Amino acid sequence: MIAPMLPSFLLVVLLVELTPGPNMGWLALLSASEGRRAGFAATAGLGLGLAVVAAAAALGLARLAQAPGAHFNPLAYSGAGFL
């Protein structure tokens, strides 16, 4: 069942990855103004941030964020502490 959908999935993934977004615009501007080293550092930071979001999603933290009361407060305070 998965095999027939694989080409369609890969096409969508390719289109999403090739479509520039706000991150790409910021990275291009930063790289042009600050240089290659700053651009690579920012790219690494964005990659790490996206990896953290993906890990949180894989661990089910989205469901925890929707939970009322005692489950949500520690998540909210840890997010505020991170910022």
Side-chain angles (χ1 to χ4, degrees):
M1 278 269 188
I2 293 175
M5 295 189 312
L6 187 60
S8 299
F9 174 75
L10 292 176
L11 178 63
V12 169
V13 168
L14 179 67
L15 290 174
V16 167
E17 289 300 319
L18 292 178
T19 305
N23 288 344
M24 181 61 99
W26 177 71
L27 288 172
L29 181 66
L30 180 72
S31 297
S33 64
E34 301 291 328
R36 182 183 295 178
R37 185 179 179 104
F40 282 143
T43 301
L46 284 171
L48 179 62
L50 291 172
V52 168
V53 169
L59 294 173
L61 289 182
R63 183 176 283 267
L64 191 67
Q66 293 174 348
H71 296 295
F72 177 72
N73 287 336
L75 183 63
Y77 290 131
S78 65
F82 172 76
L83 291 176

